Amino acid sequence: ILDDPDLKDIDPTVLKHCHAAAAMCILEAGKQKADISAISTCLEDCKLDKERIEQFCTEYQKNKDALEILLGSIGRSPLHITDVSWRLDYQIKSNQLHKTYQPSYLVTLNVENSDSGSHPDVSFSCTMEQLQDLVGKLKDAAKSLERATQM
Amino acid sequence: KLNIGVDTIQHGVEGLSYLLTESSKLMISEIDFQDSIHVLGFSDELNKLLLQLYLDNRKEIRSILSELAPKLPSYHSLEWRLDVQLASRSLRQQIKPAVTIKLHLNQNEDQTTQVLQTDPSTLLHLIQQLEQALGEMKTNHCRRIVRNIK
């Protein structure tokens, strides 16, 4: 904003104050999920004229959804699973034990950390029975979700 | 009590454990085992005893040996919980469903726990992917390999 040629003639301190004030107003409105009438009333109290209020509200409406998504994504949460990869092996032997003949799965859960953007993936091995147990439990969770959405 | 020197007993125990460990590791058949120990020139009765000892303990020895192979953390169990986020410091009036998962893993005798979270659509995706993984063992390709590697 400080580089915008249209705003060249205004005192930069005033510009900063305006920008900060506008940003505060928008963020607070977004946080509270305020509707247009509430915003209008608030701006009227601040002695803004009708035309400016209308312009502000139109722009706000246009960007409201994006704003809410942005605000909703701020905050701490446990590591978030984004994807899963798996590998199926058939174990034949090791140097300690021959003729093992067992299928074995290697599962990697791709995990995203909202704070640092790092990817501390979780990997583990499991037998077929264990994978069945895992999938069974996940399906229980999904069924429970479905029931909850129907309530 | 046995009136034999300590060294002899030690060698005896070492020899016996080597015999049993190697036989169990290779999973040799009864006949092969009998042929192998025949060379040692023991009495028939002793040979029968050794064979019985091998067969009785083979399974346990193999399960102990399987612990020694290089391994990744293995799955132990999973707990889940359904949450709905209603508000946060930066946004009020939300309805954000999430599934919180506690994954229990075993690594070399230690149990570790990881708390993870996912959203409903990712959960369905995970289920679909892992069901595909389970289905792989039943395909013709895998069945053929399992049949032929023996």
Side-chain angles (χ1 to χ4, degrees):
Chain A
I1 301 191
L2 293 173
D3 296 331
D4 194 316
D6 288 339
L7 305 169
K8 203 164 33 134
D9 298 325
I10 311 179
D11 176 11
T13 324
V14 173
L15 210 49
K16 268 198 191 148
H17 279 166
C18 290
H19 182 248
M24 268 282 285
C25 183
I26 295 170
L27 286 176
E28 199 53 37
K31 177 162 92 173
Q32 302 292 346
K33 287 216 175 174
D35 56 23
I36 291 295
S37 57
I39 301 177
S40 303
T41 321
C42 177
L43 293 177
E44 269 169 25
D45 289 344
C46 297
K47 313 257 192 333
L48 250 64
D49 58 59
K50 261 222 138 91
E51 195 188 302
R52 292 223 175 107
I53 295 181
E54 231 183 86
Q55 235 179 356
F56 187 85
C57 288
T58 320
E59 280 307 306
Y60 182 80
Q61 265 308 86
K62 269 202 283 190
N63 296 298
K64 186 162 97 110
D65 288 338
L67 179 67
E68 275 172 18
I69 293 175
L70 185 62
L71 287 174
S73 66
I74 302 173
R76 300 208 178 287
S77 72
L79 301 171
H80 193 94
I81 304 175
T82 51
D83 202 356
V84 65
S85 332
W86 56 267
R87 189 178 91 188
L88 173 58
D89 292 328
Y90 194 61
Q91 288 179 358
I92 306 177
K93 62 160 75 163
S94 71
N95 68 326
Q96 307 285 359
L97 193 59
H98 294 199
K99 302 193 189 173
T100 37
Y101 302 142
Q102 257 215 18
S104 138
Y105 285 96
L106 176 58
V107 178
T108 302
L109 296 171
N110 304 109
V111 168
E112 214 172 62
N113 191 334
S114 59
D115 286 342
S116 55
S118 65
H119 300 271
D121 288 346
V122 178
S123 291
F124 58 90
S125 67
C126 55
T127 63
M128 193 150 179
E129 292 76 29
Q130 287 169 335
L131 188 59
Q132 276 167 344
D133 178 72
L134 172 61
V135 174
K137 294 206 170 108
L138 290 180
K139 277 164 110 165
D140 286 341
K143 255 188 243 150
S144 187
L145 246 179
E146 220 187 287
R147 256 180 277 136
T149 56
Q150 285 164 359
M151 280 198 282
Chain B
K1 261 193 298 198
L2 291 171
N3 257 342
I4 316 173
V6 173
D7 280 345
T8 318
I9 299 206
Q10 186 174 341
H11 287 155
V13 171
E14 282 170 2
L16 202 56
S17 47
Y18 181 77
L19 173 67
L20 289 174
T21 317
E22 278 304 295
S23 312
S24 304
K25 163 170 145 179
L26 299 167
M27 194 72 172
I28 60 177
S29 62
E30 283 186 39
I31 302 177
D32 286 337
F33 185 82
Q34 278 171 326
D35 288 342
S36 309
I37 59 177
H38 190 71
V39 189
L40 300 167
F42 293 143
S43 68
D44 269 344
E45 204 187 302
L46 190 54
N47 285 346
K48 266 203 212 120
L49 266 171
L50 285 172
L51 178 63
Q52 203 49 47
L53 198 60
Y54 167 59
L55 291 173
D56 288 342
N57 293 296
R58 175 163 65 177
K59 202 164 169 205
E60 197 183 327
I61 296 175
R62 279 179 72 79
S63 77
I64 297 173
L65 287 174
S66 71
E67 298 291 313
L68 297 170
K71 296 196 296 187
L72 284 152
S74 69
Y75 173 77
H76 182 256
S77 66
L78 176 146
E79 300 167 54
W80 57 266
R81 186 180 85 186
L82 219 49
D83 293 329
V84 179
Q85 181 168 313
L86 299 175
S88 71
R89 181 175 165 181
S90 32
L91 187 61
R92 310 291 146 81
Q93 297 179 40
Q94 299 178 39
I95 303 182
K96 200 162 153 191
V99 181
T100 307
I101 292 175
K102 199 164 176 183
L103 186 62
H104 296 273
L105 300 175
N106 285 331
Q107 168 100 49
N108 298 333
E109 312 280 306
D110 300 318
Q111 266 224 19
T112 60
T113 306
Q114 278 259 14
V115 178
L116 305 161
Q117 203 178 57
T118 184
D119 51 81
S121 48
T122 309
L123 177 66
L124 295 176
H125 171 70
L126 294 181
I127 293 174
Q128 186 205 34
Q129 286 296 309
L130 293 176
E131 278 187 321
Q132 271 183 12
L134 281 172
E136 270 308 300
M137 270 313 283
K138 304 205 186 97
T139 60
N140 285 331
H141 176 77
C142 291
R143 283 209 170 116
R144 224 179 304 135
I145 299 202
V146 170
R147 258 203 308 265
N148 288 319
I149 301 186
K150 269 289 177 243

